[in-house]
Amino acid sequence: MPATDIIDYGPNILSRIIDHSGEALAIDIGAPTQDPASGEWLCRYRIENTTTGSSTGADPLAAIYTALAAIDADLARAAESGTAYTVFGQADHGLPRLPGAPR
């Protein structure tokens, strides 16, 4: 999803600051919300000036976990294309990875 798209990701419950070429960028994660029709939980996220997305899970914790893993995958794809993001000077962002995700 392009960074120019605006989504309501709800109240911010988690944040992390990452570095991109000396510029601090925020990763924000919104509070999970439940879809009344499916019962699944949705967790939206945003990487400042870069991307927005969402992930689902069977409960709020699963939705947050899969959102963290989706953020890690977004950052890994950016690194593969030559855009490096670091956390405390490290390329490992300290986020969970889903099985089979790029490292």
Side-chain angles (χ1 to χ4, degrees), residues 5 13 24 33-34 41 43 45 48 52 54 73 78 81 83 86 90 96 99:
D5 288 351
I13 60 167
T33 57
Q34 190 172 28
W41 287 82
C43 188
Y45 65 88
E48 185 178 15
T52 59
S54 63
S81 68
T83 304
T86 60
Q90 303 297 311

Side-chain angles (χ1 to χ4, degrees), residues 77-95:
R77 278 190 294 279
E80 288 173 354
S81 68
T83 304
Y85 296 96
T86 60
V87 177
F88 305 118
Q90 303 297 311
D92 183 351
H93 308 112
L95 299 169

Side-chain angles (χ1 to χ4, degrees), residues 51-68:
T51 190
T52 59
S54 63
S55 198
T56 59
D59 57 38
L61 181 60
I64 292 169
Y65 184 87
T66 57
L68 291 169

Side-chain angles (χ1 to χ4, degrees), residues 16-29:
R16 170 162 278 177
I17 301 299
I18 59 175
D19 180 77
H20 175 250
S21 302
E23 179 184 358
L25 299 178
I27 297 174
D28 297 314
I29 298 175

Side-chain angles (χ1 to χ4, degrees), residues 7 26 38-39 44 55 70 84 88 99:
I7 63 167
S38 70
R44 293 180 174 94
S55 198
F88 305 118

